[in-house]
Amino acid sequence: MTNLSKSLEFSLIIPTRFRATSINKVFEDLQAQDASFEVVLFNDGACPDTQTLCQKEWGFPLTYLESKDHTNSCMSRNACIDKSRGDWLVFLDDDVRIAPKFLLQVKETCKRHAIYSCCVKTPNNPPSTSIFRTWLE
């Protein structure tokens, strides 16, 4: 059971539609993060494989939402926002690869520059994790 008593810095908002294999890779990447976070995932279309994947223990809090009917991505994200508990919202696609220090870098950059809101574009399926260092520059 994941400890929910400590403060959550980030809520990671992830809408998905029939991409359980991609979500598995995202969750594996998230296990290497150094910040406190939760994942709020919206399973658009109620894919059984995604539902099964979300029932596993990943080592971080996971809120699972679904709709059997196809919704649009805005509705999916808004439903996730309604259930989020973190101080910051981070919107992720269901097919990104995430560097191990990604959330720590976001946190440090926001503090250093007194940023109260920001948008970070992460590369989609980069050839190596070395590309992740460039998003802050």
Side-chain angles (χ1 to χ4, degrees):
M1 185 74 159
T2 304
N3 181 3
L4 298 178
S5 62
K6 67 179 181 176
S7 165
L8 291 169
E9 295 173 296
F10 298 98
S11 290
L12 310 182
I13 308 298
I14 308 174
T16 189
R17 183 163 170 80
F18 300 109
R19 287 190 165 169
T21 302
S22 295
I23 287 294
N24 188 66
K25 291 176 184 175
V26 171
F27 286 0
E28 288 173 354
D29 289 349
L30 289 175
Q31 289 178 313
Q33 296 303 304
D34 290 335
S36 65
F37 68 93
E38 69 172 342
V39 170
V40 186
L41 181 132
F42 191 95
N43 184 6
D44 189 8
C47 173
D49 293 341
T50 301
Q51 184 178 25
T52 300
L53 184 71
C54 290
Q55 292 171 348
K56 289 177 57 178
E57 176 58 48
W58 288 98
F60 49 80
L62 173 62
T63 300
Y64 175 84
L65 307 170
E66 73 174 33
S67 173
K68 293 187 183 350
D69 300 322
H70 178 52
T71 62
N72 64 47
S73 60
C74 293
M75 290 175 64
S76 299
R77 287 182 180 94
N78 286 340
C80 290
I81 291 169
D82 287 342
K83 298 295 183 185
S84 67
R85 298 174 291 132
D87 296 330
W88 289 79
L89 300 177
V90 177
F91 297 89
L92 297 175
D93 289 335
D94 60 3
D95 61 351
V96 296
R97 299 308 309 263
I98 303 163
K101 303 273 184 199
F102 173 73
L103 291 176
L104 185 61
Q105 289 176 322
V106 170
K107 178 181 170 181
E108 289 173 356
T109 300
C110 292
K111 281 184 179 179
R112 184 172 48 247
H113 298 289
I115 297 172
Y116 299 100
S117 66
C118 66
C119 178
V120 177
K121 179 173 175 50
T122 57
N124 189 10
N125 296 321
S128 73
T129 57
S130 64
I131 195 167
F132 282 96
R133 65 176 171 72
T134 61
W135 73 267
L136 291 173
E137 300 172 350

